């Protein structure tokens, strides 16, 4: 709370003092070349060294694949505050070196081609833009920790701007505490339909882009509010300190990606016209919102600090993603949006998808987590034989673990309790807030349900043993 107070004070000071501009890293986005799917980026920050380096992340948190975003950067030029052009050389695939020539502030301008519409990439067209910050903004180790200012210059035909950052003023200027928060805040621009709602003192909004008469946005917002209640009732605490955004792109795509104060969702124009399809989307919403706690604030130690240059390995994606997959349909059922029969159908589908994967006999849940960078996000013709989804196996591990904990403790404890204890110990307010170490989950299970249950779970993680869903 003290950190947030100081940051709020910093925003106030910045808004009342021109001198404070020197402390900010300023990023301005404009869209004069949107017809060719380009966003123009202007970056400005203070320098003291004779040379500075700039880098673009190679991957985005939550999507474990090296994506080489720098491949879309073009026409990068640098000048000093005096207007003098400065020498710049590319020294790695995603890194540039600038000779500052005695300037105390430099301005960098470049174009980013944004031609892939997905939750982990960026898209610009004549009518709207969806930007993933990891593939848009440059940084170095000095500027990474500084407060960042985002300025948006929109075409006249674009009415709305949505980004889950505090607004500095009414002229589309936003503030991030540091670079990590900046790239954790996807940007949706264009003409959208907004459905705000409140729950338990917190504010939320469903933002639809591409909504037609086929979509009932008001009903979707009501259903999301029930999901929010179900998930918050589960965790019994809410870390959100400002509005949370559900950014829903209606475009015949699929997928979702979690962030601290927002999520990007993809959906079909027909999604609400078919009950099964709509349930699938509601399950996605539940999954991504569950990540507000599990993944975004309760992380494996390996993900406590992101290394954007290279892969960051962890063996706990079965917990981060797999257990979230166990709870997405379960909490959707607890919200009243699924019947018992519908929930069991979803569970049966999860079991079927797992049992139809021969790769489960050659790769463990921990190996699948570790190899996400070269397996899960890079499927090929042999993937079904050589890999198992840590989503599917993790979900079934959640099912059998939940049952085993309940039986062994005579219903005194469940997996719910283990997850809440994990958050209390390793979440942002916990005594070990730098993330949970390997085997932390099993250790808590042993405390609440005994050594045998903990060993059974560890066996499911480290061997190719199938979760005994029949038992």
């Amino acid at each position: 709370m003290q950190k947030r107070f100081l940051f709020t004070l910093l925003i106030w000071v910045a808004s009342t003092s021109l001198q404070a501009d020197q402390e900010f890293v300023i990023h301005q986005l404009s869209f004069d070349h949107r017809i060719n799917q380009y966003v123009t980026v202007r970056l400005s920050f203070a320098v003291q060294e004779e040379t500075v380096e700039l880098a673009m992340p190679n991957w985005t948190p939550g999507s474990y694949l090296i994506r080489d975003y720098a491949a879309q950067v073009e026409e990068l030029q640098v000048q000093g505050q005096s207007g003098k052009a400065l020498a710049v050389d590319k020294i790695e695939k995603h890194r540039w070196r600038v000779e500052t020539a005695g300037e105390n502030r430099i301005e960098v301008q470049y174009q980013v081609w944004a031609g892939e519409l997905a939750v982990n990439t960026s898209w610009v067209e004549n009518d709207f833009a969806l930007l993933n910050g990891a593939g848009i903004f440059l940084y170095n180790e000095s500027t990474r920790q500084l407060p960042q200012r985002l300025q948006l210059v929109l075409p006249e035909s674009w009415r709305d701007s949505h980004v889950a950052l505090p607004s500095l003023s009414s002229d589309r200027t936003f503030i991030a505490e540091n670079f990590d928060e900046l790239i954790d805040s996807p940007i949706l621009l264009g003409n959208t339909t907004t459905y705000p709602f409140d729950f338990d003192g917190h504010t939320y909004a469903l933002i639809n882009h591409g909504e037609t008469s086929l979509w009932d946005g008001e009903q979707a917002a009501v259903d999301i509010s029930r999901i929010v209640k179900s998930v918050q009732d589960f965790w019994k605490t809410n870390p959100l300190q400002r509005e949370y955004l559900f950014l829903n792109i209606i475009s015949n795509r699929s997928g979702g990606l979690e962030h601290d104060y927002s999520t990007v969702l993809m959906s079909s124009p027909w999604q609400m016209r078919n009950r099964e399809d709509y349930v699938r989307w509601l399950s996605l919403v539940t999954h991504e919102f569950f990540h507000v706690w599990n993944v975004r604030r309760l992380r494996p130690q390996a993900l406590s600090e992101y290394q954007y240059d290279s892969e960051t390995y962890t063996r706990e994606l079965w917990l981060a993603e797999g257990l979230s997959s166990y709870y997405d349909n379960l909490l959707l059922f607890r919200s009243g949006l699924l019947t018992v029969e519908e929930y069991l159908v979803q569970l049966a589908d999860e079991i079927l998808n797992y049992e139809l994967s021969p790769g489960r006999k050659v790769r463990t849940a921990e190996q699948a987590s570790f190899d996400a960078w070269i397996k899960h996000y890079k499927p090929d013709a042999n993937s079904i034989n050589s890999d198992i989804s840590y989503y599917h196996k993790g979900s079934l591990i959640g099912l059998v673990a939940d049952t085993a904990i309940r039986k062994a403790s005579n219903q005194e404890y469940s997996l719910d309790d283990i997850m809440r204890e994990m958050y209390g110990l390793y979440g942002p307010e916990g005594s070990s807030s730098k993330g949970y170490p390997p085997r932390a989950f099993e250790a808590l299970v042993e405390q609440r349900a005994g050594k045998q249950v903990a060993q059974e779970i560890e066996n499911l993680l480290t061997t190719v043993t199938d979760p005994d869903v029949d038992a």
Side-chain angles (χ1 to χ4, degrees):
M1 290 301 291
Q2 182 183 26
K3 183 179 180 183
R4 284 290 173 188
F5 170 77
L6 291 174
F7 185 52
T8 302
L9 180 61
L10 176 60
I11 292 176
W12 178 82
V13 171
S15 65
T16 57
S17 171
L18 291 176
Q19 186 177 1
D21 281 350
Q22 296 300 315
E23 304 301 323
F24 275 84
V25 180
I26 301 175
H27 308 263
Q28 183 191 84
L29 305 181
S30 58
F31 300 88
D32 293 339
H33 305 291
R34 65 190 182 280
I35 195 69
N36 300 115
Q37 298 196 276
Y38 283 99
V39 52
T40 301
V41 187
R42 294 177 177 85
L43 164 66
S44 173
F45 61 95
V47 295
Q48 296 179 336
E49 303 85 355
E50 293 182 0
T51 63
V52 294
E53 291 188 4
L54 295 169
M56 178 163 280
N58 283 322
W59 64 284
T60 190
S63 184
Y64 307 102
L65 176 68
I66 296 297
R67 296 187 182 275
D68 291 330
Y69 293 117
Q72 310 306 335
V73 175
E74 299 179 18
E75 301 179 29
L76 189 144
Q77 304 173 41
V78 186
Q79 66 178 29
Q81 201 166 20
S82 66
K84 176 184 176 181
L86 302 179
V88 55
D89 290 313
K90 194 168 188 180
I91 56 176
E92 294 181 40
K93 64 178 181 179
H94 68 300
R95 195 177 295 274
W96 296 258
R97 180 181 293 126
V98 179
E99 304 290 338
T100 61
E103 298 279 355
N104 57 20
R105 193 172 186 89
I106 65 172
E107 298 176 0
V108 186
Q109 178 172 312
Y110 55 98
Q111 305 283 339
V112 176
W113 183 73
E116 184 178 355
L117 182 57
V119 297
N120 40 40
T121 55
S122 294
W123 176 266
V124 171
E125 63 172 66
N126 192 55
D127 294 330
F128 86 105
L130 175 67
L131 305 178
N132 166 39
I136 301 294
F137 302 115
L138 298 176
Y139 78 104
N140 60 36
E141 290 308 311
S142 297
T143 63
R144 179 174 177 175
Q145 304 307 324
L146 294 175
Q148 316 276 315
R149 178 179 294 180
L150 171 64
Q151 299 173 340
L152 302 174
V153 181
L154 303 189
E156 290 185 4
S157 59
W158 292 10
R159 180 183 65 243
D160 303 315
S161 56
H162 303 284
V163 55
L165 290 172
S167 176
L168 187 61
S169 62
S170 60
D171 64 348
R172 294 194 170 94
T173 300
F174 304 87
I175 297 297
E177 188 172 357
N178 49 42
F179 183 79
D180 288 10
E181 185 175 45
L182 177 68
I183 69 166
D184 181 53
S185 305
I187 303 166
L188 175 59
L189 308 170
N191 299 307
T192 59
T193 310
T194 300
Y195 301 93
F197 62 92
D198 297 335
F199 176 73
D200 197 24
H202 298 274
T203 59
Y204 305 87
L206 168 64
I207 315 292
N208 278 347
H209 171 78
E211 179 178 320
T212 69
S213 59
L214 297 172
W215 256 83
D216 186 343
E218 290 185 359
Q219 182 60 54
V222 170
D223 292 342
I224 291 176
S225 70
R226 295 174 67 178
I227 291 170
V228 166
K229 179 182 185 303
S230 180
V231 176
Q232 183 168 320
D233 286 349
F234 173 89
W235 290 105
K236 301 186 184 306
T237 184
N238 192 322
L240 298 176
Q241 297 175 357
R242 59 178 185 265
E243 185 180 39
Y244 183 93
L245 305 179
F246 296 89
L247 304 174
N248 183 37
I249 315 302
I250 304 170
S251 64
N252 280 317
R253 300 294 199 278
S254 61
L257 187 61
E258 71 276 1
H259 302 277
D260 274 358
Y261 282 92
S262 63
T263 180
V264 177
L265 307 162
M266 297 283 175
S267 58
S268 161
W270 301 92
Q271 197 94 42
M272 293 189 75
R273 291 306 193 188
N274 177 282
R275 172 66 182 172
E276 185 177 338
D277 288 343
Y278 186 51
V279 164
R280 189 178 299 112
W281 184 77
L282 290 175
S283 177
L284 173 67
V285 172
T286 312
H287 184 100
E288 302 306 332
F289 189 61
F290 194 80
H291 278 324
V292 168
W293 291 261
N294 187 32
V295 172
R296 290 307 312 167
R297 292 168 175 86
L298 173 62
R299 301 180 187 175
Q301 273 184 351
L303 297 178
S304 62
E305 294 185 5
Y306 297 120
Q307 303 299 320
Y308 299 120
D309 282 351
S310 59
E311 296 88 346
T312 303
Y313 298 103
T314 175
R315 300 183 190 277
E316 286 85 32
L317 292 183
W318 65 268
L319 195 165
E321 294 290 355
L323 294 192
S324 296
S325 293
Y326 171 60
Y327 276 111
D328 52 27
N329 286 320
L330 183 57
L331 293 181
L332 193 58
F333 164 70
R334 292 180 187 176
S335 75
L337 291 168
L338 278 186
T339 66
V340 172
E341 291 77 10
E342 286 176 320
Y343 173 69
L344 292 177
V345 167
Q346 297 296 321
L347 183 57
D349 284 344
E350 194 76 68
I351 297 167
L352 180 65
N353 286 331
Y354 172 78
E355 292 186 344
L356 290 180
S357 301
R360 75 185 196 280
K361 293 298 185 182
V362 299
R363 194 165 302 278
T364 70
E366 288 192 345
Q367 289 171 342
S369 300
F370 191 84
D371 284 342
W373 302 88
I374 58 173
K375 287 286 188 179
H376 181 78
Y377 285 93
K378 298 178 71 173
D380 56 35
N382 193 47
S383 292
I384 193 171
N385 300 310
S386 63
D387 195 23
I388 185 63
S389 166
Y390 48 79
Y391 286 86
H392 293 322
K393 187 164 187 177
S395 176
L396 297 185
I397 289 172
L399 171 66
V400 298
D402 198 0
T403 306
I405 293 165
R406 291 172 187 270
K407 287 181 177 179
S409 67
N410 293 319
Q411 298 290 349
E412 184 178 357
Y413 297 105
S414 69
L415 184 59
D416 297 13
D417 299 295
I418 302 300
M419 295 300 290
R420 285 192 287 264
E421 286 192 62
M422 287 282 289
Y423 188 82
L425 286 171
Y426 304 107
E429 304 301 325
S431 57
S432 303
S433 58
K434 286 294 186 181
Y436 51 86
R439 304 284 174 253
F441 177 84
E442 296 94 299
L444 275 179
V445 170
E446 183 173 341
Q447 290 178 29
R448 301 307 177 201
K451 189 171 185 177
Q452 181 177 344
V453 175
Q455 288 178 335
E456 290 173 358
I457 293 172
E458 186 169 338
N459 186 53
L460 290 175
L461 299 175
T462 58
T463 74
V464 295
T465 302
D466 291 328
D468 192 351
V469 294
D470 293 335

